Amino acid sequence: MSLLLTTLISVPLVAALIVALIPGNFRFIIRLVALAATLVAMSLAITAFVQFQPQGFDPANLATFQMQHKVAWITSDVININYHVGVDGISIGLLLMAGIVAFAATAVSWEIKTGEKTFYLLLLLMSGGAFGAFCSLDLFFFYFFNELALVPTFIMIGVWGRGPQKNYATYQITLYLTLGAMLALIGLIALYVSAGVNSLDIVTLKEALSKKALSSGAQAVIFPLLLFGFGILVGLFPFHSWAPLGYASAPTATAMMHAGVLKKAGLYAIIRVALPLMPEGVAKWMPVLAVLCVGNIIYCGWVAMRQKDLNMLIGNSSVAHMGFVFLGIASDSLIGLTGAVVIMVAHGLLAALSYGLTGYVYNTTGTLKMDELGGLLRKMPFIGVAMVMCFMAGCGLPGFANFNGEMLVIVGAWKVLPNIVVFAAWGGLVISGLYMLRAIRSVLHGPTQARTENVGEFVIKEPLPASEGGLGFLGAVTAFFHSALGGGVWQLWRKLPYALLLVGLILFGCFPSLLTSKIKGSIAEVVNLSHKVSPAKAAASVTAPAPLNVADNRN
Amino acid sequence: MNPELLPWIILLLPLASAVGITLFTRGSKGLSAGISIGAIATAFVASIILFAKTGGGSLLGPLLNLEWINLQVPGLTGEASSIQDIIINFGFKIDALSQLMLLIVTGVGTAIHVFSWGYMHEDRSVPRYFASLSLFCFSMLGIVLANNLMMMFIFWELVGVSSYLLIGYWFEKPSAADAAKKAFLTNRIGDFGFMLGILMVWGILGTMSFDGISAALAKNPAALGTMGTIAGLLIFCGAMGKSAQFPLHVWLPDAMEGPTPVSALIHAATMVAAGVFLLCRVFVVFTPDALTVIGWIGAITALIAALMALQQNDIKRILAYSTLSQLGYMVMAVGTGGVVLGQGPSAAMYHLTTHAFFKAMLFLGAGSVIHACHHEQDIWQMGGLKKKMPVTYWTFLIGTLALAGVPPFSGFYSKDAILAAALEANKGWFVIAALVALLTTFYMSRLFIVAFLGKPRSESAGHAHESPGIMSFPLIALAIPSVLAGVFGINHLLDHQFGVEAHGRHGMVAEIFAPFGHSPFAAIFGVLAVVFGVSFAFALYGNAEKDPLPNALGFFSRAMARRFYFDEIWSFLIRITHEALSYVADFIDRWLVSGLMVRGTHGSFEIAGRALRLLQSGNIQTYALLFVAGLVVVLLIVLK
């Protein structure tokens, strides 16, 4: 029984409540509260990650969640819903990533100059919802937290968004994702009804369904509902078109949180719910998923090549990366699924970094059209170098975590889906290289253009936030902060969110076992359950299952 | 000190240098240069110590093989038919091959680092230059030391990005930025094949480590089965990209946009040699068919590159095509390795070694000339540099002679090894190789005569003066192995590595004449090629004011100068494939997915809503009508 996770989820939500009570013109205090809350949340997430014990695989024990906290809520004959949180290998990495991204997103929101109270309130709700979604072990609360995190995007993009298609993008992203969530909800309810154990608790469902699986008919309906419902939330081809436009129109923090964190909740749900509970559905639908993921990787890669707007390019690239995760899921293997989770963590950091950097470029130059930009590497050294690293990570350069994930997915899927892997390798190596390098060439290299001629980075221009009177001591402190070391301290603060995300990418890039050692035990359980044949088929095979010849696969 | 620590020191010092410069010394040129030079020089010393301690042989030990990704879960049984597990290691393979390469990379690297300080110190971003150079050294050393294919692939990619950063060093110049992009993307195409080859080998043999692969194939030579040739050729794709073999050769000449020391280090001595190194590492995987293909691609590359070099006028471009041609030689030599039983690819590695020395020196010499002539790179604007730049003159002469294959310079011996192997393996290859030797001598003599001899053709050449010591000293340092490497016995070291029967060691003096004893036909042909090449060159260019070949050869000369239009062919191919496909994909995305699907759904809902709204007219008569209509429908259904 550990309160760490509950604290982690409550801190942003309580902070949201506090922000709601602060008068709207105390902009600086509001921002401080939000920063403090997400900083605390990030520290708690890091603590949880460090404290998490890598676990082995025991087919008899299906309740292998750590740091659990359960509070009974609704107990009746009709339905049991409890507040139940816990983490295992799959969610701990995602939780860490969510913590870092939430803090980084809050930190880069200095660009929001109107209606800060509402904005930070919504941002904190998104963060709390994201944490809750990754920790929840009761499907009701998972869905609740997921929606809590998704709904604010409507307001955030609608009010603080940018671009001529902002309104259309707002409605599209909200309604499209609600459609997906609705399909998933139908699937979850159907699952609840068919399982017949009167509970939405994942542990209970796993234990019940591993003993007696759902009927084939039920699986044939529920699995695609869940797969495509959550798939829409992630941007599975061909239900992906909401993503590039939505992110391009969103304010920076929203894009970072949504593309980085919230998209992963859908994938997480597929791995957590759909795969282990419905093995026959898995067997039938994984080949379909494998073909669709080629659409993500190759098709969206080609679309990315045509883009002239930097954010649209990154959006399409983001959808393409999701293709790799889907490939890992489709392979349904230990290596492939581990790689999928690694990509989820890595891509979360990467997407946040990409949108954070392009947000900075947009704020300083006023445009993200690639033919109007150029030569930024000279004008903005830190942002430029970070952007080069970011785009290189995006096209799968070793040293960054994305390569490890993509490599594991390719290796894991090779024996099962060799033809698909050929496409995936081409997309991941060549096509992504094409558009990423094109982006670097247009935005960072080459001579400067009119829009980029006179820009610089980290120059104190705007009126200092604390200079709106009446803040006395606090105003004096922040004025000191801005001027300390000739502005050096303030510059370091501004660089911090990007540096944090880069450090995460490089750390898990160079030392992937920090992540994979925690993931693999839980993935082994998922893989084992997803391959469970029915008792009749098992009886038909006479030979005992052969233990893996470990020596052969040793490098 | 534990010798197992030495590879770690060698590998990690340049990395520490790169990270240190990037984070801490970006403001200071001298400090950055000092850190970078210190790192590589220390690595060189460590390589020498390692060589001394192991006698150039193998080294094994627990510190040399660490787990990097462990995806084994005890207890997971074979119930799930597609479950596999894997352990990817981060480890070093220390043997004669890698030790030789270590010495080359760190040795030539140190010379070039020192030269760079002299060449680049007026540039504004010198710290970035040295950081990138250190990053490159780290990546290259990783390739050399890797003990498994995945680790080698990782460092393969890292070398690619280091090359990208260095070619694009002057990134504000559009041509440099484009050249960097081209190099990276062309390499990526090769890497695609490489990755598939790795997967294939792992899928069949179950291991990615070089020792594991050798052991598996030693136990069962036919283990790779029918896919063996394909797997080998896919791995060769990686070498094709990195070593710029036809048809992925187009990036190397453009890479000359980078600073000259970069061209010397990366695009002459080390990175481009990584492909050949890879081929030697996984040599056991190649079937005779695969080796035949490899040999022919090498031969073709050697020939077309030599032809293209004939009509280039930029000193760096000539050297670039010369490098391409020599790489073709090396790859062809790998191809011979399988045909001639028991030969192994030692001839290729031998030539790689000698080529690294004299080609790096030639590039540095070119840098010296360019620097002295105030960044003039056209050889027809040079001339008469013999008196003005004696050190550069003499070292360039040594390099030219070595490259042409004049005995007793090192190039003669390594080239002869290749000619001898080609003679035994495939007469076609021998003919091409001899022809290329002739062409090589011809265009190098052309370069030398026009750039160094005669009278100065322009003002900047007239005012040229010798480079300062910091630039001349590395030239001299590299000249020594260019002259003497033929008699060190490198080929014996390599033969031992590849298990080839030694031809028997002679004393050093006897080594000088050894080729004439072993394979007189090849050796004499080599010498004849040189003689003819030099004579033709002197005949045409002896006192030429301008190049007589364009008039003599007409269209052919233009084609050579335009690199046989390969760049245009590649652009065309990319345009009709990827550009067209992405246009189609974008069209589908815009009009079908976003348009028909999404807006269509939105539109149909809206139309349906508007239509149904009409029913809510607020008009009693309409409601009465609908009531009756509904009643009629219900009656119809009930009474049916």
Side-chain angles (χ1 to χ4, degrees), chain B residues 383-401:
Chain B
L385 294 175
K386 175 175 178 180
K387 292 250 172 15
K388 306 235 165 46
M389 311 178 68
V391 175
T392 308
Y393 172 82
W394 284 106
T395 52
F396 207 92
L397 180 60
I398 291 175
T400 307
L401 292 174

Side-chain angles (χ1 to χ4, degrees), chain B residues 15 87 120 189 260 304 352 429 495 511 561 599 608 612 637:
Chain B
L15 178 65
I87 296 181
M120 296 287 294
I189 298 178
T260 310
I304 58 175
L352 194 161
W429 291 349
D495 284 343
E511 276 290 336
R599 287 189 200 243
L612 287 172
I637 296 175

Side-chain angles (χ1 to χ4, degrees), chain B residues 429-508:
Chain B
W429 291 349
F430 177 75
V431 167
I432 294 181
L435 180 59
V436 171
L438 180 85
L439 291 171
T440 307
T441 318
F442 178 71
Y443 63 70
M444 284 308 293
S445 310
R446 168 179 178 263
L447 167 60
F448 190 76
I449 295 168
V450 172
F452 284 91
L453 299 180
K455 291 202 246 322
R457 287 192 190 78
S458 73
E459 274 230 28
S460 25
H463 292 145
H465 57 89
E466 185 58 80
S467 304
I470 194 166
M471 288 164 68
S472 313
F473 183 67
L475 288 175
I476 302 173
L478 285 173
I480 301 173
S482 301
V483 174
L484 294 178
V487 300
F488 283 164
I490 296 178
N491 49 340
H492 292 297
L493 184 69
L494 289 166
D495 284 343
H496 186 73
Q497 157 90 9
F498 291 111
V500 177
E501 274 163 33
H503 290 275
R505 288 211 67 150
H506 319 269
M508 264 215 181

Side-chain angles (χ1 to χ4, degrees), chain B residues 612-635:
Chain B
L612 287 172
R613 188 200 67 78
L614 291 174
L615 293 176
Q616 312 288 333
S617 65
N619 187 331
I620 297 266
Q621 287 89 329
T622 319
Y623 292 155
L625 177 65
L626 289 173
F627 182 70
V628 170
L631 193 60
V632 167
V633 170
V634 168
L635 282 175

